[in-house]
Amino acid sequence: LHFARAVAFAPEQTGYRLELAQVAATVGEYREADRQYREILAREPDNADAMLLFAKTLVAKEREDKDAAAALKLAERACEITAWENTEMAYGLADLYIDAGRVMEGVGLKRLLKEGGKPTDEAAAKE
């Protein structure tokens, strides 16, 4: 309720919306969480943190209407935006791959990250 009021009084404040989205997701109010994440990304299309949090929300264990394809797209974009420098995001993407049944991609990404590489390094090596 406090975050909803904060967003109402200061709709331009990303931090309030992000907190509201996370709280909404925590209590199972996925429509509200989705709405807040979409609003954040409409205002800040390159907000990698919001992308990863939204991706995790889209495939939450308790959620009935999971959307793994959209979650992967968001998490992949977040990693691209951060040039694969944010290991939390990269490992988060790997976990999402595994959860979506793309186990080899997830395990391969984790192995690459553990060795200190980045997917962009691997792509460059293939060219």
Side-chain angles (χ1 to χ4, degrees):
L1 182 59
H2 294 294
F3 289 119
R5 287 182 183 153
V7 167
F9 286 117
E12 72 287 349
Q13 293 295 319
T14 299
Y16 295 153
R17 285 189 185 279
L18 199 54
E19 292 296 331
L20 177 56
Q22 290 177 285
V23 169
T26 299
V27 298
E29 295 291 333
Y30 297 113
R31 285 187 184 162
E32 181 61 25
D34 294 354
R35 191 170 73 79
Q36 294 304 322
Y37 284 124
R38 285 189 179 100
E39 182 63 31
I40 291 166
L41 294 173
R43 293 169 185 256
E44 299 175 21
D46 291 338
N47 186 324
D49 292 323
M51 286 178 193
L52 184 64
L53 291 169
F54 190 13
K56 289 179 178 181
T57 298
L58 287 170
V59 293
K61 187 185 313 181
E62 302 79 15
R63 188 173 183 144
E64 292 180 14
D65 62 337
K66 292 177 180 59
D67 190 345
L72 288 171
K73 186 175 178 181
L74 283 166
E76 288 168 345
R77 180 72 182 125
C79 289
E80 290 168 3
I81 288 170
T82 59
W84 297 90
E85 296 295 328
N86 185 317
T87 56
E88 179 185 350
M89 286 187 189
Y91 277 102
L93 172 58
D95 289 337
L96 288 170
Y97 278 138
I98 292 168
D99 291 344
R102 294 168 59 177
V103 177
M104 295 305 292
E105 287 174 87
V107 171
L109 178 55
K110 285 185 177 192
R111 183 176 299 123
L112 181 65
L113 294 167
K114 186 176 180 181
E115 294 169 357
K118 296 182 235 177
T120 53
D121 298 338
E122 190 174 87
K126 288 181 181 178
E127 292 176 2

